Amino acid sequence: MNKIRVVLIEDHDLTRIGLRATLQKLDGIEVIGDARDAASGLKLLKSTQPDIAIVDVGLPDMSGIELTQHFFNSMDTQQTPQTKILIMTMQDSEDTVLAAFAAGADSYCMKDASTDKLVEALHLTVNGNSWIDPVIARIVLQQTQKATTAANVRPDTVAINGLSPEYSHIVETYPLTRRELDVLKLIVDGCSNAVIAEKLYVSVGTVKTHVRNILNKLCVSDRTQIAVRALRAGLVA
């Protein structure tokens, strides 16, 4: 099995050195380079073409979000980017999170995440999925709650606006119900199906049905992807 080739772009020396030392100890992961600013980071990405880059938001010359934009904009329009971008930061503000995904970031991880969580994020991201920190997922839920109910949507459902054409017709036809939104909140809070059932006074079987409906309506395959899909949908006005 090939090792995951990682590049670190982080301006804080202790954080960068510590992160590199931690990752180098892990099986299946190889740190092939690091940079302390965006300009050097972009050159490193182009020269090494890693599987994934862990990028800090607060770089000295430009933000990690701008770096992500520059990186993807520098590619040929016909080229599929092989390098995945994982934004790592202490910032969990709504604007920063949404801007990161709009720029093309694949995953978003908080700096205080455990090593196990980071490794999980790296593996999922490299395999073509997106990983989003549970703290960030709550922002998605807040935006979902703020979404305006469309005139043609039933009062007991929640409108999700901004989905790409291939998904929007599905959600328009089968919007999330209020109960499904309740289940979604508890999923993001880390509750198991059994706990959700207890909190909502329903059976575990009913919870499983709601979870399956949510996954189907948002065209995703797991719980993490629910939040990612909502972020990429651009729920904010």
Side-chain angles (χ1 to χ4, degrees):
M1 178 179 177
N2 295 331
K3 289 187 175 182
I4 297 175
R5 301 165 63 251
V6 179
V7 158
L8 306 175
I9 305 177
E10 162 67 60
D11 66 319
H12 193 280
D13 291 338
L14 289 179
T15 300
R16 189 179 66 257
I17 294 170
L19 188 57
R20 179 170 191 143
T22 297
L23 293 177
Q24 290 285 49
K25 295 177 182 178
L26 302 173
D27 293 334
I29 295 178
E30 178 185 8
V31 180
I32 61 173
D34 61 68
R36 64 194 309 262
D37 58 63
S40 300
L42 284 170
K43 292 179 181 178
L44 185 61
L45 291 179
K46 292 178 182 178
S47 64
T48 61
Q49 299 183 12
D51 297 314
I52 188 166
I54 299 177
V55 180
D56 180 32
V57 166
L59 299 172
D61 46 350
M62 70 175 74
S63 73
I65 295 172
E66 291 174 300
L67 179 152
T68 301
Q69 289 177 314
H70 281 288
F71 175 65
F72 288 120
N73 289 340
S74 68
M75 295 183 177
D76 187 281
T77 55
Q78 303 300 318
Q79 182 180 0
T80 301
Q82 299 301 312
T83 298
K84 307 295 184 181
I85 302 293
L86 185 152
I87 296 291
M88 176 174 272
T89 182
M90 290 302 295
Q91 299 185 39
D92 60 354
S93 72
E94 174 184 309
D95 290 344
T96 301
V97 174
L98 296 175
F101 278 95
D106 297 280
S107 295
Y108 199 108
C109 184
M110 300 298 291
K111 281 187 176 180
D112 58 0
S114 66
T115 300
D116 288 343
K117 287 294 185 184
L118 177 57
V119 171
E120 177 186 348
L122 290 173
H123 281 281
L124 283 173
T125 304
V126 166
N127 288 326
N129 299 304
S130 294
W131 193 93
I132 183 169
D133 197 290
V135 174
I136 305 305
R138 291 185 177 87
I139 294 176
V140 182
L141 286 180
Q142 291 170 3
Q143 292 305 318
T144 303
Q145 291 177 299
K146 293 177 183 177
T148 304
T149 302
N152 62 344
V153 176
R154 296 183 299 277
D156 61 338
T157 62
V158 177
I160 296 181
N161 304 311
L163 285 171
S164 55
E166 63 265 36
Y167 300 118
S168 61
H169 73 282
I170 298 175
V171 178
E172 288 172 2
T173 306
Y174 306 104
L176 290 182
T177 66
R178 295 291 177 183
R179 178 56 82 184
E180 288 165 353
L181 185 57
D182 290 338
V183 172
L184 186 57
K185 292 178 186 177
L186 293 172
I187 289 174
V188 173
D189 284 339
C191 296
S192 65
N193 287 346
V195 173
I196 294 174
E198 181 179 351
K199 288 180 177 291
L200 298 182
Y201 303 102
V202 297
S203 68
V204 173
T206 297
V207 173
K208 289 181 179 179
T209 298
H210 287 315
V211 172
R212 184 169 61 252
N213 288 341
I214 293 168
L215 294 171
N216 289 338
K217 289 179 180 181
L218 296 186
C219 301
V220 294
S221 58
D222 58 51
R223 298 184 179 201
T224 298
Q225 291 290 316
I226 291 172
V228 174
R229 174 72 71 207
L231 272 174
R232 291 202 183 280
L235 294 176
V236 290

Coordinates of all heavy atoms in Angstrom, one line a residue, residues 38-108:
A38 N 2.7 31.2 2.0 CA 1.9 30.8 0.9 C 2.7 30.7 -0.4 O 2.5 29.7 -1.2 CB 0.7 31.7 0.7
A39 N 3.5 31.7 -0.6 CA 4.3 31.7 -1.9 C 5.2 30.4 -2.0 O 5.2 29.7 -3.0 CB 5.2 32.9 -1.9
S40 N 5.9 30.1 -0.9 CA 6.7 28.9 -0.9 C 5.8 27.7 -1.0 O 6.2 26.7 -1.6 CB 7.6 28.9 0.4 OG 8.4 30.0 0.5
G41 N 4.7 27.7 -0.3 CA 3.8 26.6 -0.3 C 3.3 26.3 -1.7 O 3.2 25.1 -2.1
L42 N 2.9 27.3 -2.5 CA 2.4 27.1 -3.9 C 3.5 26.4 -4.7 O 3.2 25.5 -5.5 CB 2.0 28.4 -4.5 CG 0.6 28.9 -4.0 CD1 0.4 30.3 -4.4 CD2 -0.5 28.0 -4.4
K43 N 4.7 26.9 -4.6 CA 5.8 26.3 -5.3 C 6.0 24.9 -5.0 O 6.3 24.0 -5.8 CB 7.1 27.1 -5.1 CG 7.1 28.5 -5.7 CD 8.4 29.3 -5.3 CE 8.4 30.7 -5.9 NZ 9.6 31.5 -5.6
L44 N 5.9 24.6 -3.7 CA 6.1 23.2 -3.2 C 5.0 22.3 -3.7 O 5.3 21.2 -4.1 CB 6.1 23.2 -1.6 CG 6.4 21.9 -0.9 CD1 7.8 21.4 -1.3 CD2 6.3 22.1 0.6
L45 N 3.8 22.8 -3.7 CA 2.7 22.0 -4.2 C 2.9 21.6 -5.7 O 2.7 20.5 -6.1 CB 1.4 22.7 -4.1 CG 0.9 22.9 -2.6 CD1 -0.5 23.7 -2.6 CD2 0.7 21.6 -1.9
K46 N 3.4 22.6 -6.5 CA 3.6 22.4 -7.9 C 4.8 21.4 -8.2 O 4.7 20.6 -9.1 CB 3.8 23.7 -8.6 CG 2.5 24.6 -8.6 CD 2.8 25.9 -9.3 CE 1.6 26.8 -9.3 NZ 1.8 28.1 -9.9
S47 N 5.8 21.5 -7.4 CA 7.0 20.7 -7.6 C 6.9 19.3 -7.1 O 7.4 18.4 -7.7 CB 8.2 21.4 -7.0 OG 8.1 21.5 -5.6
T48 N 6.1 19.1 -6.0 CA 6.0 17.8 -5.4 C 4.8 17.0 -5.7 O 4.7 15.8 -5.7 CB 6.2 17.9 -3.9 OG1 5.1 18.7 -3.3 CG2 7.5 18.5 -3.4
Q49 N 3.7 17.8 -6.0 CA 2.4 17.2 -6.3 C 2.0 16.1 -5.3 O 1.8 14.9 -5.6 CB 2.4 16.6 -7.7 CG 2.6 17.6 -8.8 CD 2.5 17.0 -10.2 OE1 2.1 15.9 -10.4 NE2 3.0 17.7 -11.2
P50 N 1.8 16.5 -4.1 CA 1.5 15.6 -3.0 C 0.1 15.1 -3.1 O -0.7 15.6 -3.9 CB 1.7 16.4 -1.7 CG 1.3 17.8 -2.2 CD 1.9 17.9 -3.6
D51 N -0.2 14.0 -2.3 CA -1.6 13.5 -2.3 C -2.5 14.5 -1.6 O -3.7 14.7 -2.0 CB -1.6 12.2 -1.6 CG -0.8 11.1 -2.3 OD1 -1.0 11.0 -3.6 OD2 -0.1 10.4 -1.7
I52 N -2.0 15.2 -0.6 CA -2.8 16.1 0.2 C -1.9 17.2 0.8 O -0.7 16.9 1.2 CB -3.6 15.3 1.3 CG1 -4.5 16.2 2.0 CG2 -2.6 14.7 2.3 CD1 -5.6 15.5 2.9
A53 N -2.4 18.4 0.9 CA -1.7 19.5 1.6 C -2.5 19.9 2.8 O -3.7 20.1 2.7 CB -1.5 20.6 0.7
I54 N -1.9 20.0 4.0 CA -2.5 20.5 5.2 C -2.1 22.0 5.2 O -1.0 22.4 5.3 CB -2.0 19.8 6.4 CG1 -2.4 18.3 6.3 CG2 -2.6 20.4 7.7 CD1 -1.9 17.5 7.5
V55 N -3.1 22.9 5.1 CA -2.9 24.3 4.9 C -3.5 25.1 6.1 O -4.7 25.0 6.4 CB -3.5 24.8 3.6 CG1 -3.2 26.3 3.4 CG2 -2.9 24.0 2.4
D56 N -2.7 25.9 6.7 CA -3.2 26.8 7.7 C -3.9 28.0 7.1 O -3.5 28.5 6.0 CB -2.0 27.3 8.6 CG -2.4 28.2 9.7 OD1 -3.6 28.0 10.2 OD2 -1.7 29.1 10.1
V57 N -4.9 28.5 7.7 CA -5.6 29.7 7.2 C -4.8 30.9 7.4 O -4.7 31.8 6.5 CB -7.0 29.9 7.9 CG1 -7.5 31.3 7.6 CG2 -8.0 28.8 7.5
G58 N -4.1 31.1 8.5 CA -3.5 32.4 8.8 C -2.0 32.4 8.4 O -1.1 32.5 9.2
L59 N -1.8 32.4 7.1 CA -0.4 32.5 6.6 C 0.0 34.0 6.5 O -0.9 34.9 6.3 CB -0.3 31.8 5.2 CG -0.6 30.3 5.3 CD1 -0.6 29.8 3.9 CD2 0.5 29.6 6.1
P60 N 1.3 34.3 6.5 CA 1.7 35.7 6.6 C 1.5 36.5 5.3 O 1.2 37.7 5.3 CB 3.2 35.6 6.9 CG 3.6 34.3 6.5 CD 2.4 33.4 6.7
D61 N 1.7 35.9 4.1 CA 1.6 36.6 2.9 C 0.2 36.6 2.2 O -0.2 37.5 1.5 CB 2.6 36.2 1.9 CG 2.7 34.6 1.8 OD1 2.1 34.0 2.6 OD2 3.4 34.1 0.9
M62 N -0.5 35.6 2.4 CA -1.9 35.5 2.0 C -2.6 34.4 2.8 O -1.9 33.6 3.4 CB -2.1 35.2 0.5 CG -1.7 33.8 0.1 SD -2.0 33.4 -1.7 CE -0.6 34.4 -2.5
S63 N -3.9 34.4 2.9 CA -4.6 33.4 3.7 C -4.5 32.0 3.0 O -4.3 31.9 1.8 CB -6.1 33.8 3.9 OG -6.8 33.6 2.7
G64 N -4.7 31.0 3.8 CA -4.8 29.7 3.3 C -5.9 29.5 2.3 O -5.8 28.7 1.3
I65 N -7.0 30.3 2.4 CA -8.1 30.2 1.5 C -7.7 30.8 0.2 O -8.0 30.2 -0.9 CB -9.3 31.0 2.1 CG1 -9.8 30.3 3.3 CG2 -10.4 31.1 1.0 CD1 -10.8 31.0 4.1
E66 N -6.9 31.9 0.2 CA -6.4 32.5 -1.1 C -5.4 31.5 -1.7 O -5.4 31.4 -3.0 CB -5.8 33.8 -0.8 CG -6.7 34.9 -0.4 CD -6.0 36.2 0.0 OE1 -5.2 36.2 1.0 OE2 -6.3 37.2 -0.6
L67 N -4.6 30.9 -0.9 CA -3.6 29.9 -1.5 C -4.4 28.8 -2.2 O -4.0 28.4 -3.3 CB -2.8 29.3 -0.4 CG -1.8 28.3 -0.7 CD1 -0.6 28.3 0.2 CD2 -2.4 26.8 -0.8
T68 N -5.5 28.3 -1.6 CA -6.3 27.3 -2.2 C -6.8 27.7 -3.6 O -6.8 27.0 -4.6 CB -7.4 26.9 -1.3 OG1 -6.9 26.4 0.0 CG2 -8.3 25.8 -1.9
Q69 N -7.3 29.0 -3.6 CA -7.9 29.5 -4.8 C -6.8 29.6 -5.9 O -7.0 29.2 -7.1 CB -8.5 30.9 -4.6 CG -9.8 30.9 -3.8 CD -10.3 32.3 -3.5 OE1 -9.5 33.2 -3.1 NE2 -11.6 32.5 -3.7
H70 N -5.6 30.2 -5.5 CA -4.5 30.3 -6.5 C -4.1 28.9 -7.0 O -3.8 28.8 -8.2 CB -3.3 31.0 -5.8 CG -3.5 32.5 -5.7 ND1 -3.4 33.3 -6.8 CD2 -3.7 33.3 -4.7 CE1 -3.6 34.6 -6.4 NE2 -3.8 34.6 -5.1
F71 N -4.0 28.0 -6.1 CA -3.6 26.6 -6.5 C -4.5 26.0 -7.6 O -4.1 25.5 -8.6 CB -3.5 25.7 -5.3 CG -3.2 24.3 -5.6 CD1 -2.0 23.9 -6.2 CD2 -4.1 23.3 -5.4 CE1 -1.6 22.6 -6.5 CE2 -3.8 22.0 -5.7 CZ -2.6 21.6 -6.2
F72 N -5.8 26.1 -7.3 CA -6.7 25.5 -8.3 C -6.9 26.3 -9.5 O -7.1 25.8 -10.6 CB -8.1 25.3 -7.6 CG -8.1 24.2 -6.6 CD1 -8.4 24.4 -5.3 CD2 -7.8 22.9 -7.0 CE1 -8.4 23.4 -4.4 CE2 -7.8 21.8 -6.1 CZ -8.1 22.1 -4.8
N73 N -6.8 27.6 -9.4 CA -6.8 28.5 -10.6 C -5.6 28.3 -11.5 O -5.7 28.7 -12.7 CB -7.0 30.0 -10.2 CG -8.3 30.3 -9.6 OD1 -9.3 29.5 -9.8 ND2 -8.4 31.4 -8.8
S74 N -4.5 27.9 -11.0 CA -3.3 27.7 -11.8 C -3.3 26.5 -12.6 O -2.5 26.3 -13.5 CB -2.1 27.7 -10.8 OG -2.1 26.5 -10.1
M75 N -4.3 25.7 -12.4 CA -4.4 24.4 -13.2 C -5.1 24.6 -14.5 O -6.0 25.5 -14.6 CB -5.1 23.3 -12.4 CG -4.3 22.9 -11.1 SD -5.2 21.6 -10.3 CE -4.0 21.3 -9.0
D76 N -4.8 23.8 -15.4 CA -5.5 23.7 -16.7 C -6.9 23.4 -16.5 O -7.2 22.5 -15.6 CB -4.8 22.7 -17.6 CG -5.4 22.8 -19.0 OD1 -6.5 22.2 -19.2 OD2 -4.8 23.4 -19.9
T77 N -7.8 24.0 -17.2 CA -9.3 23.8 -16.9 C -9.7 22.3 -17.2 O -10.7 21.9 -16.7 CB -10.1 24.7 -17.8 OG1 -9.7 24.5 -19.2 CG2 -9.9 26.2 -17.4
Q78 N -8.9 21.6 -18.0 CA -9.2 20.3 -18.3 C -8.5 19.3 -17.4 O -8.7 18.1 -17.4 CB -8.7 19.9 -19.8 CG -9.3 20.8 -20.8 CD -10.9 20.7 -20.9 OE1 -11.4 19.7 -20.8 NE2 -11.5 21.9 -21.0
Q79 N -7.7 19.8 -16.5 CA -6.9 19.0 -15.6 C -7.7 18.7 -14.3 O -8.3 19.6 -13.7 CB -5.6 19.7 -15.2 CG -4.7 18.9 -14.3 CD -3.4 19.7 -14.0 OE1 -3.2 20.8 -14.5 NE2 -2.5 19.0 -13.3
T80 N -7.7 17.5 -13.9 CA -8.3 17.1 -12.6 C -7.3 17.2 -11.5 O -6.3 16.5 -11.6 CB -8.9 15.7 -12.6 OG1 -9.9 15.6 -13.6 CG2 -9.6 15.3 -11.3
P81 N -7.5 18.0 -10.5 CA -6.5 18.2 -9.4 C -6.3 16.9 -8.7 O -7.2 16.3 -8.2 CB -7.0 19.3 -8.5 CG -8.5 19.3 -8.8 CD -8.6 18.9 -10.2
Q82 N -5.0 16.4 -8.6 CA -4.7 15.2 -7.8 C -4.5 15.5 -6.3 O -4.7 14.7 -5.5 CB -3.5 14.6 -8.4 CG -3.6 14.1 -9.9 CD -4.8 13.2 -10.1 OE1 -4.9 12.2 -9.3 NE2 -5.6 13.4 -11.0
T83 N -4.0 16.7 -6.0 CA -3.7 17.1 -4.7 C -5.0 17.6 -4.0 O -5.7 18.5 -4.5 CB -2.7 18.3 -4.6 OG1 -1.5 17.8 -5.2 CG2 -2.4 18.7 -3.2
K84 N -5.3 17.0 -2.8 CA -6.4 17.4 -2.0 C -5.9 18.5 -1.0 O -4.8 18.5 -0.6 CB -7.0 16.2 -1.3 CG -7.4 15.1 -2.1 CD -8.5 15.4 -3.1 CE -8.9 14.1 -3.9 NZ -9.9 14.4 -4.9
I85 N -6.9 19.4 -0.6 CA -6.5 20.4 0.3 C -7.3 20.2 1.6 O -8.6 20.2 1.6 CB -6.8 21.8 -0.3 CG1 -6.1 22.1 -1.5 CG2 -6.5 22.9 0.8 CD1 -4.6 22.2 -1.4
L86 N -6.6 20.1 2.7 CA -7.2 20.0 4.0 C -6.9 21.3 4.8 O -5.7 21.6 5.1 CB -6.8 18.8 4.8 CG -7.4 18.5 6.2 CD1 -7.4 17.0 6.5 CD2 -6.8 19.3 7.3
I87 N -7.8 22.1 5.0 CA -7.6 23.4 5.8 C -7.6 23.0 7.3 O -8.5 22.3 7.8 CB -8.8 24.4 5.6 CG1 -8.8 24.8 4.1 CG2 -8.6 25.6 6.5 CD1 -7.6 25.7 3.7
M88 N -6.5 23.5 8.0 CA -6.4 23.3 9.4 C -6.2 24.6 10.1 O -5.3 25.4 9.7 CB -5.3 22.3 9.7 CG -5.0 22.1 11.2 SD -3.8 20.9 11.6 CE -4.8 19.4 11.6
T89 N -7.1 24.9 11.1 CA -7.0 26.2 11.7 C -7.7 26.2 13.0 O -8.4 25.2 13.4 CB -7.7 27.2 10.8 OG1 -7.6 28.5 11.4 CG2 -9.2 26.9 10.6
M90 N -7.6 27.2 13.8 CA -8.3 27.4 15.0 C -9.6 28.2 14.8 O -10.4 28.4 15.7 CB -7.5 28.1 16.1 CG -6.3 27.3 16.6 SD -6.8 25.8 17.4 CE -7.8 26.4 18.8
Q91 N -9.8 28.7 13.6 CA -10.9 29.5 13.3 C -12.1 28.7 12.9 O -12.1 27.9 12.0 CB -10.6 30.5 12.1 CG -9.5 31.4 12.4 CD -9.3 32.4 11.3 OE1 -10.2 32.9 10.7 NE2 -8.0 32.7 10.9
D92 N -13.2 28.9 13.6 CA -14.4 28.2 13.3 C -15.6 29.2 12.9 O -16.7 28.9 13.1 CB -14.9 27.3 14.5 CG -15.1 28.1 15.7 OD1 -14.9 29.3 15.8 OD2 -15.6 27.5 16.7
S93 N -15.2 30.4 12.5 CA -16.2 31.4 12.1 C -16.9 30.9 10.9 O -16.3 30.3 10.0 CB -15.5 32.7 11.9 OG -14.8 32.8 10.7
E94 N -18.1 31.3 10.8 CA -19.0 31.0 9.7 C -18.4 31.4 8.3 O -18.3 30.6 7.4 CB -20.4 31.6 9.9 CG -21.3 31.4 8.7 CD -22.6 32.2 9.0 OE1 -23.2 32.0 10.1 OE2 -23.0 33.0 8.1
D95 N -17.9 32.7 8.2 CA -17.4 33.2 7.0 C -16.2 32.4 6.5 O -16.0 32.1 5.4 CB -17.0 34.7 7.1 CG -18.3 35.6 7.3 OD1 -19.4 35.1 7.0 OD2 -18.1 36.7 7.7
T96 N -15.3 32.1 7.5 CA -14.0 31.4 7.1 C -14.3 30.0 6.6 O -13.8 29.5 5.6 CB -13.1 31.3 8.4 OG1 -12.8 32.6 8.8 CG2 -11.8 30.6 8.0
V97 N -15.2 29.3 7.3 CA -15.6 27.9 6.9 C -16.2 27.9 5.5 O -15.7 27.1 4.6 CB -16.5 27.3 7.9 CG1 -17.0 25.9 7.4 CG2 -15.9 27.2 9.3
L98 N -17.1 28.7 5.3 CA -17.8 28.8 4.0 C -16.9 29.2 2.9 O -16.9 28.7 1.7 CB -19.0 29.7 4.0 CG -20.1 29.2 5.0 CD1 -21.2 30.3 5.1 CD2 -20.7 27.9 4.6
A99 N -16.0 30.2 3.2 CA -15.0 30.6 2.2 C -14.1 29.5 1.8 O -13.7 29.4 0.6 CB -14.3 31.9 2.7
A100 N -13.7 28.7 2.8 CA -12.7 27.7 2.5 C -13.3 26.7 1.5 O -12.6 26.2 0.6 CB -12.3 27.0 3.8
F101 N -14.5 26.2 1.8 CA -15.1 25.3 0.9 C -15.4 25.9 -0.5 O -15.3 25.2 -1.5 CB -16.4 24.7 1.5 CG -16.1 23.6 2.4 CD1 -15.9 23.8 3.8 CD2 -15.9 22.3 2.0 CE1 -15.6 22.8 4.7 CE2 -15.6 21.3 2.9 CZ -15.4 21.5 4.2
A102 N -15.8 27.2 -0.5 CA -16.1 27.8 -1.8 C -14.8 27.9 -2.6 O -14.8 27.9 -3.8 CB -16.6 29.2 -1.5
A103 N -13.6 28.0 -1.9 CA -12.4 28.1 -2.6 C -11.9 26.8 -3.2 O -11.0 26.8 -4.1 CB -11.3 28.7 -1.7
G104 N -12.5 25.7 -2.8 CA -12.2 24.4 -3.3 C -11.6 23.5 -2.3 O -11.2 22.4 -2.7
A105 N -11.5 23.9 -1.0 CA -10.9 23.0 0.0 C -11.8 21.7 0.1 O -13.0 21.7 -0.1 CB -10.9 23.7 1.3
D106 N -11.1 20.6 0.3 CA -11.8 19.3 0.4 C -12.2 19.0 1.8 O -13.3 18.3 2.0 CB -10.8 18.2 -0.1 CG -10.5 18.4 -1.6 OD1 -11.3 18.0 -2.4 OD2 -9.4 18.9 -1.8
S107 N -11.5 19.4 2.8 CA -11.8 19.1 4.2 C -11.4 20.2 5.1 O -10.6 21.1 4.7 CB -11.1 17.8 4.6 OG -11.6 16.7 3.9
Y108 N -11.9 20.2 6.3 CA -11.7 21.3 7.2 C -11.6 20.7 8.6 O -12.5 20.1 9.1 CB -12.9 22.3 7.2 CG -12.6 23.7 7.8 CD1 -12.4 24.8 6.9 CD2 -12.4 23.9 9.1 CE1 -12.2 26.0 7.4 CE2 -12.2 25.1 9.6 CZ -12.0 26.2 8.8 OH -11.8 27.4 9.3

